Amino acid sequence: MFDGLVDVVGGNTGGSMFPTYDPIVFSRVNTSSPLLMTAFYALAGLNGSLNVQFEVTDNITSTNNQVSFVIVEDDAHDQVNLARLMLDNEPFDLTIPGQNDDIVKNFDLEAEWNLENLKVIVYVQSHDTKEVLQTCYAEPDYTATIVIDPNPNGLNAPWLISGPNDYSYAGAGDRTLPVWYEGQYSLTWLPVFGWDTPNPNPTSQVVLQDDTITFTGNYSGGPFSEITAGPLGHDGAGRGVAMLDVDADEDLDIHVINENQADLLLRNDGSGNFVDIASGSLADTGAGQAAIWADYDNDGDLDIYLTRYNQANQLLQNDGSGSFTDVADFGLENTGPGCGATWADYDNDGLVDLYFVNYGAENQLFKNYGDMGGGFWLWLSVGGIITDNGPGTCAVWGDYDNDGYSDIYLTNRYGSNKLFQNYGPLGFFDATGSGILDDLGNGSGVAWSDYDNDGDLDLYMANDGSADRLFRNGGGYFSLVIGDDLSDPGHGRGVVWGDFDNDADLDLYVSRYGEADLYLQNLGSDTFRRVLLGWSGVEGNGCGAACGDYDGDGDLDVYVANDGQPNVLLENEADGTHHWLDVRLAGTTANRSAIGAQVRVFTSGLSQLRTITGGSGYYSQNPLRVHFGLGAATLVDSVVVTWPGGVVETIPQLVVDQHLFIQQSEETAVTERDLLPSVCQLHSCYPNPFNPSTTIRFSLPDTRPVRLAVYSLDGRQVATLVSETRPAGNHAVVWHGKDDAGRPVASGTFIARIEAGDYQAAQRMMLVK
């Protein structure tokens, strides 16, 4: 406090002057003032009005007293109480106790000032002695309070509010705004990319004295909805995630790895409910990081390899009845600082091999030599340059040069990343080069994909705390694709490629630690745009992530494991206007899990490529099947499968919107095959909404009686479309919007219901006239 009576230079509390000036200031602060002051101010746009009330409580003996007024702004140029405006002084002539007076001052503000951080300081000072008689902050004289509540909260949705006396204010997210004037206020919700703005928009409300009113806006139509109920929302030390069909019932289950807490195996009962069935070795409480699944012994059920940090890794063999036995041997029980792991048939011998990553110790590639007799399975370590000993985190296999052999990319934390090119019998060569692929950032999750549909695999890598990288493959040579969202500098962990909107190009999901996850929608031409997720469950400590169609509705959902916060399942809310194809493979001469197989889907001149992978992203694994968004295509021209080892099979002319199962033919030459559906399925009708007709398609794995009918929403039967025995195959029926008597029905929503043996299903259709 410097009021003219004390000749002291101040300093920080730790400085040498502090013991000198502190008692002096303390003494002056405790000196009673002869004056009481109360001040209020109000704003109307950039115009302000200040009212100050004075009352003398003791004799004032100082002379040439004046009132000073200072408008200050906090946090401007990193300063506290930065003076923005000083108003003209006013004389202060009161001297006798009981005297009082009011002063009213008007002032104008500048548009660039932050009105929320403004303060008004008033003080009375003798200009002869420099003594400050009294000082105060003016209180804002608010009339009412406006609460702004956009939902979901994670959108931080922008808005603009206007009101009386030219009041206008723009902001984002949840806010509480005090206002000075009564009258009508209007709020406009501004667009958020990928979401529908609230309706109605704008909205208006009248504010009266002492009111508190709330503007609530519910944004809808976002890419995902959040599910955290039951074990899905487990809040352990989440690390890796695998989505897979553990029990072979055609729906996806979820395996969650927790560090130093019991792992979870969440069985999907087919109706969206999940039950934790982990027990024994599957409920491991060690320092687990990653778990990857594959049928390493080709016996028809999935086995697991689990990496643990500075504890013995485990190879868990599935006996086919749901029991697992740790059979790790020959070095597979490595006790190093285990991180990521991934399966691949790197030598195309029909057996999946194993690569696991250690942090700061040698990585290991183990070749699977198969059953030596009596169930004795032999694994031997493969040396060479691929046993990189950097601070490794993750690795992912992919045939980036299309030579028929899977190559591998390895991420290191603040060490050179590596691309090891597989030359088959000649071994591996370091193809990293001195260019961009050796990125020295804090390497984290990584995944291959053909995001630009040019027929070769591109690579996306997340860095934890530095810019992420998209490497575009141009015939074996990589270039860096730059973009504000693609090159995000946040704490990226998991990387998941998936065509979440089924528009025939791959989008990106990146889980992040300590900040909101990224969902990047592929707009084509190397352009990605962030779509805000909006949900609290993806604003936590994201680690592993995986995607798959858990509910079988034809779009990809995402599961994210959080560290110390609830995990979350993001259910895809795609509008169903685009078509899709889901393909599951089983090898015969190739490995049973078909890991490394390439699947190409051709539709109307467009070719898309997917690869079955045995581990990807960050400590995680996507299902051992592939998903294609088909956009507006209503027919698949062909599906071409290139099996590990080089056998190519072509399946011509398939209907869209189906789950397709392909068992590898025992032929060794290029073949063309027609496949029957593996399960009963009622596919999405197209178009929907429709006028005047729509096509309803269904698939049968065998000959069976079929009844397909149309019902109104109140359950009344409108039309019978099929009532007969149909053969195995894909079927299509056109409904022309007429009842059984041939009369056109009115606009509205109808239900198509099928009964085919023990299979029943229904879907909604909307007729719009």
Side-chain angles (χ1 to χ4, degrees):
M1 175 179 175
F2 303 98
D3 66 352
L5 296 184
V6 179
D7 187 12
V8 171
V9 178
N12 292 327
T13 57
S16 61
M17 291 297 298
F18 182 74
T20 300
Y21 76 78
D22 184 56
I24 301 172
V25 171
F26 184 79
S27 173
R28 288 294 295 145
V29 168
N30 283 277
T31 300
S32 62
S33 169
L35 184 63
L36 291 178
M37 290 171 51
T38 305
F40 300 93
Y41 73 94
L43 296 179
L46 297 177
N47 304 120
S49 176
L50 172 66
N51 181 277
V52 188
Q53 300 170 357
F54 306 91
E55 180 181 353
V56 178
T57 59
D58 201 355
N59 291 317
I60 297 176
T61 59
S62 58
T63 56
N64 195 14
N65 299 319
Q66 296 193 35
V67 186
S68 297
F69 313 87
V70 186
I71 314 296
V72 301
E73 181 183 349
D74 275 350
D75 297 328
H77 303 291
D78 298 321
Q79 301 295 316
V80 176
N81 286 352
L82 176 69
R84 285 297 197 182
L85 178 67
M86 296 193 68
L87 307 182
D88 293 337
N89 289 349
E90 295 286 341
F92 185 80
D93 299 326
L94 305 181
T95 59
I96 301 172
Q99 289 182 324
N100 56 72
D101 196 7
D102 289 356
I103 294 178
V104 175
K105 297 284 285 189
N106 295 319
F107 54 92
D108 296 324
L109 306 176
E110 299 292 336
E112 65 270 18
W113 298 349
N114 187 334
L115 303 188
E116 287 188 283
N117 291 343
L118 286 183
K119 297 178 181 177
V120 180
I121 299 174
V122 184
Y123 61 95
V124 179
Q125 184 179 30
S126 168
H127 280 221
D128 289 337
T129 67
K130 307 304 182 186
E131 177 184 8
V132 175
L133 303 181
Q134 185 60 283
T135 185
C136 73
Y137 280 121
E139 293 288 334
D141 188 15
Y142 297 126
T143 295
T145 301
I146 295 177
V147 177
I148 301 176
D149 180 28
N151 295 303
N153 290 331
L155 283 184
N156 197 35
W159 40 262
L160 175 67
I161 189 169
S162 59
N165 295 305
D166 298 323
Y167 177 82
S168 179
Y169 192 84
D174 292 346
R175 295 292 292 274
T176 298
L177 296 177
V179 293
W180 278 280
Y181 294 98
E182 296 180 323
Q184 179 169 286
Y185 288 80
S186 295
L187 187 135
T188 301
W189 303 105
L190 301 180
V192 176
F193 178 71
W195 291 76
D196 298 327
T197 54
N199 186 30
N201 188 36
T203 57
S204 299
Q205 296 189 56
V206 174
V207 174
L208 301 177
Q209 182 72 38
D210 299 325
D211 266 354
T212 296
I213 65 169
T214 301
F215 286 96
T216 300
N218 295 314
Y219 285 77
S220 60
F224 302 98
S225 59
E226 179 184 63
I227 304 175
T228 57
L232 289 172
H234 182 75
D235 59 356
R239 293 297 182 265
V241 174
M243 294 186 76
L244 68 155
D245 185 4
V246 175
D247 47 8
D249 64 351
E250 297 295 333
D251 52 37
L252 293 177
D253 312 294
I254 301 173
H255 189 198
V256 182
I257 307 305
N258 291 312
E259 184 170 16
N260 297 321
Q261 294 177 317
D263 298 339
L264 310 176
L265 181 57
L266 306 181
R267 185 184 65 199
N268 183 353
D269 70 3
S271 61
N273 295 316
F274 287 82
V275 178
D276 182 15
I277 61 170
S279 62
S281 54
L282 287 182
D284 179 69
T285 58
Q289 304 296 309
I292 53 173
W293 294 69
D295 186 1
Y296 83 82
D297 50 9
N298 288 336
D299 65 351
D301 48 45
L302 294 175
D303 315 293
I304 315 167
Y305 189 75
L306 172 67
T307 64
R308 305 196 297 177
Y309 199 86
N310 289 332
Q311 296 177 3
N313 296 341
Q314 296 179 334
L315 176 61
L316 305 178
Q317 186 181 44
N318 188 344
D319 69 0
S321 66
S323 295
F324 292 81
T325 303
D326 185 3
V327 295
D329 206 345
F330 307 109
L332 292 176
E333 74 283 11
N334 186 278
T335 58
C339 290
T342 180
W343 299 102
D345 183 5
Y346 80 92
D347 52 2
N348 292 335
D349 66 350
L351 298 170
V352 290
D353 311 296
L354 177 67
Y355 188 86
F356 61 80
V357 179
N358 282 318
Y359 184 82
E362 272 198 349
N363 304 331
Q364 296 289 322
L365 171 62
F366 279 88
K367 175 175 169 51
N368 182 353
Y369 282 90
D371 190 351
M372 298 292 102
F376 176 76
W377 217 263
L378 179 63
W379 300 82
L380 291 180
S381 177
V382 178
I385 62 172
I386 200 168
T387 57
D388 185 83
N389 63 355
T393 51
C394 296
V396 63
W397 294 90
D399 184 9
Y400 83 90
D401 53 3
N402 283 329
D403 67 349
Y405 290 98
S406 292
D407 314 292
I408 189 169
Y409 187 82
L410 167 69
T411 60
N412 286 304
R413 291 197 183 277
Y414 299 119
S416 177
N417 297 338
K418 300 291 184 180
L419 174 62
F420 297 114
Q421 191 173 14
N422 184 355
Y423 279 87
L426 299 178
F428 290 88
F429 294 84
D430 189 342
T432 311
S434 58
I436 56 178
L437 290 175
D438 67 346
D439 184 85
L440 296 175
N442 192 8
S444 191
V446 61
W448 293 103
S449 78
D450 182 17
Y451 82 91
D452 51 3
N453 291 331
D454 66 350
D456 52 30
L457 294 178
D458 313 292
L459 188 71
Y460 192 84
M461 180 192 61
N463 277 315
D464 187 354
S466 54
D468 298 340
R469 302 296 189 194
L470 174 58
F471 303 117
R472 185 180 187 275
N473 185 354
Y477 298 92
F478 291 88
S479 58
L480 185 62
V481 180
I482 302 295
D484 290 342
D485 295 321
L486 285 174
S487 307
D488 178 75
H491 296 282
R493 294 290 178 89
V495 176
V496 179
W497 287 101
D499 189 357
F500 297 107
D501 51 7
N502 283 337
D503 67 348
D505 52 31
L506 286 167
D507 312 298
L508 263 171
Y509 188 98
V510 182
S511 61
R512 302 197 298 175
Y513 198 91
E515 55 194 327
D517 294 352
L518 292 176
Y519 169 45
L520 305 181
Q521 193 174 83
N522 187 347
L523 304 181
S525 301
D526 291 340
T527 302
F528 288 76
R529 183 168 178 180
R530 183 179 183 183
V531 180
L532 294 176
L533 295 166
W535 303 106
S536 59
V538 291
E539 295 180 343
N541 298 329
C543 288
C547 74
D549 183 9
Y550 92 92
D551 50 5
D553 64 351
D555 49 42
L556 292 174
D557 313 293
V558 180
Y559 190 82
V560 180
N562 286 313
D563 181 8
Q565 296 176 338
N567 303 333
V568 60
L569 174 63
L570 296 176
E571 184 173 349
N572 196 325
E573 296 294 343
D575 59 14
T577 57
H578 290 152
H579 298 293
W580 53 274
L581 181 69
D582 183 271
V583 181
R584 181 169 64 88
L585 306 179
T588 52
T589 58
N591 68 85
R592 183 68 173 262
S593 300
I595 290 173
Q598 292 186 332
V599 183
R600 287 179 169 84
V601 167
F602 296 86
T603 54
S604 304
L606 177 66
S607 171
Q608 297 185 65
L609 168 66
R610 305 283 190 271
T611 302
I612 306 291
T613 61
S616 185
Y618 183 79
Y619 302 172
S620 296
Q621 183 179 16
N622 292 322
L624 293 169
R625 58 180 64 176
V626 288
H627 177 92
F628 295 86
L630 303 177
T634 57
L635 179 70
V636 175
D637 297 329
S638 63
V639 174
V640 178
V641 180
T642 303
W643 299 92
V647 174
V648 178
E649 296 189 69
T650 301
I651 298 91
Q653 302 232 320
L654 296 167
V655 297
V656 298
D657 300 343
Q658 67 164 307
H659 296 274
L660 182 66
F661 172 66
I662 302 176
Q663 174 84 41
Q664 184 185 8
S665 170
E666 295 185 2
E667 301 287 339
T668 58
V670 174
T671 60
E672 181 174 292
R673 303 167 56 198
D674 288 307
L675 293 183
L676 293 176
S678 60
V679 294
C680 275
Q681 187 170 6
L682 176 64
H683 303 289
S684 301
C685 64
Y686 186 83
N688 189 19
F690 68 94
N691 182 15
S693 63
T694 187
T695 300
I696 304 169
R697 288 164 292 108
F698 58 93
S699 300
L700 303 175
D702 49 38
T703 300
R704 60 178 66 193
V706 176
R707 176 176 171 78
L708 176 65
V710 178
Y711 297 85
S712 62
L713 286 178
D714 60 6
R716 178 178 54 86
Q717 181 173 314
V718 175
T720 301
L721 303 182
V722 178
S723 182
E724 62 186 9
T725 298
R726 288 284 182 102
N730 299 303
H731 302 266
V733 178
V734 178
W735 183 45
H736 295 282
K738 297 180 180 180
D739 63 16
D740 281 333
R743 296 168 299 197
V745 299
S747 298
T749 300
F750 298 86
I751 305 295
R753 178 176 175 80
I754 189 172
E755 299 176 19
D758 58 356
Y759 174 76
Q760 297 183 5
Q763 65 172 275
R764 292 193 175 205
M765 309 174 293
M766 180 177 290
L767 173 61
V768 179
K769 293 184 177 181

